[in-house]
Amino acid sequence: MENKNKAVILGSNYYIGLSTIRCLGIHGIYTVAVDYSDKNRYGAESKYCSEKLIAPHYRQNKEDFISFLKDYARKQSAPPVLIPCHDSYVEVIDEYLDELKEYYLIPQTEKGLYTRAMNKETLHRLATEKGVLVPETVRVNEDNFFEKIETIIKYPCIVKPTDSSSFVAKFRRKIFKVNNRKELEEALEKAHNAELEVIVQRIIPGFDDHMHTFDAYLNQDAKVTHWTTCQKFRQYPINFGASVYTGQKYIPELYEIGAKFLEDIGYKGFAEIEFKKDAETGKYYLIEINVRITNFNSLLYKVGLNIPYITYRELTGEPLEPKAITENTNRVFWYLYEDLLAIRDYIKTGQLSLGDVISSLFKPKAYAIWSLDDPKPTFSFFKMMASKLFKR
């Protein structure tokens, strides 16, 4: 197979971009790392990165960013495959989808669908329409707001942004957990002052290991062709954070729920649905959808689903055979740096013991950053972290 189409990867300053570059580079695909700064882009240090580019900032200079992408594509002999590795890049691509599809190969064809799936409020409505369970939710502008919180949602509860990336950029956390009306009012005021829209949701009971994912690729007919399911063990920040120690686990019920939902809404490309299993009822609740390559992409690759390559092959006209991981591999994704921070907090709050942590570690790993075959990004990462610590 001759790879005429380049792969343009947006965001190499995080390990998601790094794993994407590696997943494509091992197949000889020409990879292009695009960032808005040459600072801390350790993913571009991979030996599998063919080209490094600096583009205008995707938010501060949005139109210039789009022009930059189009100008680059015009110079190529074949349309590149465009792969965003951060929610903010996805939002911009979705906004300019019709323009960009003239120059790039992109899985989604319906403008706005990725954004609706990312937005917590519109996702809640989509899921409800399709009969998928979601946590009970109250919107800030509803009548009898506080009465509904006390009778339907109850404390403690979470104040959740509709736009996660903007919220995380502002507050460095995914949600506000509140224990009473005073804390709720304070959280709402913070969100209001930051001009960020939020909703209030019930907390589904269960420890972090009740978090599961359905990871799937849907072809241009909006049919699931590749999939697996996973179970989170630890996340950071704890209880409401991102995966730092997650294992592949076969859970057929999640396929039944997740595949039907994604196909019903006409989704195309890769998606990861996060579910939480209610510790009291055993029912699975849809929490959110990631519409781009996710944190534990290296785990998916290790268990046999190379999502970036699956995407590339289908978009360039040579799709891979469908595949599902329907056994338990016992392999886990491990982001050591943040897992150490998570372990500290789990132990401090009494949610885990040191023995619990140690006994969990004896499993085959898929590392977030480290690769014996491609060590340079790891050295760049530690250099970056040492610089940050020194400045503090």
Side-chain angles (χ1 to χ4, degrees):
M1 172 184 168
E2 184 181 356
N3 302 314
K4 295 180 179 179
N5 308 80
K6 295 180 179 179
V8 174
I9 295 140
L10 305 179
S12 70
N13 58 346
Y14 197 53
Y15 58 81
I16 296 175
L18 169 61
S19 67
T20 300
I21 289 168
R22 285 172 171 165
C23 282
L24 295 169
I26 58 172
H27 290 285
I29 295 166
Y30 189 100
T31 59
V32 185
V34 177
D35 295 277
Y36 59 84
S37 170
D38 59 6
K39 187 178 180 181
N40 300 334
R41 57 191 315 216
Y42 60 88
E45 296 300 313
S46 170
K47 71 177 186 180
Y48 296 109
C49 182
S50 311
E51 186 176 357
K52 307 174 189 178
L53 299 175
I54 301 297
H57 197 282
Y58 54 85
R59 275 185 176 166
Q60 297 172 8
N61 301 289
K62 191 184 297 184
E63 292 186 1
D64 290 343
F65 172 71
I66 297 300
S67 295
F68 175 90
L69 291 180
K70 292 193 292 188
D71 289 344
Y72 181 81
R74 287 190 190 100
K75 300 172 185 175
Q76 310 310 313
S77 60
V81 176
L82 189 61
I83 304 180
C85 293
H86 189 278
D87 288 345
S88 295
Y89 285 119
V90 174
E91 290 172 346
V92 176
I93 290 171
D94 205 21
E95 182 180 351
Y96 290 86
L97 182 64
D98 294 338
E99 288 182 48
L100 289 172
K101 284 192 75 70
E102 296 180 18
Y103 302 91
Y104 286 90
L105 302 178
I106 303 170
Q108 192 51 256
T109 56
E110 181 185 338
K111 182 179 178 180
L113 181 57
Y114 280 169
T115 301
R116 292 197 299 276
M118 290 168 63
N119 182 284
K120 303 302 185 293
E121 184 168 10
T122 51
L123 173 61
H124 185 280
R125 290 172 178 158
L126 271 176
T128 302
E129 288 171 6
K130 303 300 180 182
V132 177
L133 287 175
V134 288
E136 291 83 348
T137 300
V138 175
R139 292 162 184 83
V140 176
N141 59 357
E142 287 188 29
D143 293 334
N144 305 315
F145 173 77
F146 287 106
E147 180 183 339
K148 289 178 179 178
I149 298 299
E150 292 171 4
T151 58
I152 300 173
I153 306 298
K154 300 181 180 178
Y155 298 106
C157 57
I158 58 173
V159 177
K160 191 174 186 178
T162 58
D163 179 3
S164 289
S165 59
S166 297
F167 189 91
V168 172
K170 174 65 178 178
F171 296 111
R172 310 309 300 169
R173 62 177 71 182
K174 295 179 74 172
I175 56 95
F176 291 134
K177 180 181 178 182
V178 298
N179 298 291
N180 50 55
R181 177 164 175 164
K182 182 176 182 294
E183 291 182 6
L184 174 58
E185 290 174 339
E186 291 172 350
L188 294 177
E189 184 177 4
K190 288 179 182 177
H192 176 74
N193 292 339
E195 298 182 345
L196 294 172
E197 185 179 357
V198 293
I199 54 179
V200 183
Q201 284 190 341
R202 177 173 77 93
I203 297 175
I204 304 302
F207 180 58
D208 289 2
D209 61 1
H210 283 61
M211 294 295 299
H212 300 80
T213 67
F214 172 65
D215 295 84
Y217 184 83
L218 290 86
N219 65 14
Q220 291 299 290
D221 295 321
K223 298 297 180 183
V224 172
T225 58
H226 299 76
W227 66 273
T228 190
T229 52
C230 299
Q231 178 182 13
K232 288 188 180 183
F233 296 114
R234 295 189 291 274
Q235 48 190 354
Y236 185 78
I238 64 171
N239 307 137
F240 300 100
S243 299
V244 293
Y245 199 77
T246 294
Q248 180 276 327
K249 182 180 180 181
Y250 176 52
I251 308 171
E253 301 99 305
L254 296 187
Y255 171 79
E256 298 299 326
I257 302 169
K260 184 178 186 305
F261 174 70
L262 291 173
E263 291 178 354
D264 282 352
I265 66 173
Y267 193 94
K268 299 173 184 178
F270 174 73
E272 178 184 271
I273 305 179
E274 289 195 13
F275 291 93
K276 187 168 186 181
K277 184 178 183 179
D278 190 312
E280 297 173 359
T281 66
K283 295 179 179 178
Y284 289 97
Y285 285 77
L286 187 154
I287 302 299
E288 66 180 12
I289 297 183
N290 291 308
V291 299
R292 39 80 186 153
I293 304 300
T294 56
N295 292 49
F296 51 84
N297 181 57
S298 59
L299 171 64
L300 303 183
Y301 166 69
K302 286 287 188 180
V303 301
L305 295 180
N306 186 335
I307 297 299
Y309 189 56
I310 291 167
T311 305
Y312 182 93
R313 285 288 298 265
E314 198 215 357
L315 294 181
T316 56
E318 299 184 80
L320 296 173
E321 288 294 316
K323 183 176 184 179
I325 309 303
T326 55
E327 71 279 347
N328 294 325
T329 65
N330 200 41
R331 189 175 290 276
V332 295
F333 162 80
W334 195 20
Y335 182 25
L336 174 60
Y337 171 69
E338 286 196 348
D339 192 30
L340 291 174
L341 300 176
I343 289 168
R344 175 200 63 190
D345 292 344
Y346 282 120
I347 293 175
K348 184 178 179 180
T349 56
Q351 297 181 58
L352 287 176
S353 68
L354 183 59
D356 293 330
V357 173
I358 292 173
S359 64
S360 74
L361 294 176
F362 298 96
K363 296 180 179 182
K365 309 289 194 307
Y367 298 101
I369 300 173
W370 170 248
S371 169
L372 184 62
D373 177 60
D374 185 29
K376 192 174 179 182
T378 306
F379 299 143
S380 296
F381 172 79
F382 281 117
K383 182 180 178 182
M384 175 188 75
M385 297 309 299
S387 176
K388 288 182 178 180
L389 289 171
F390 180 76
K391 288 179 181 179
R392 289 179 186 174

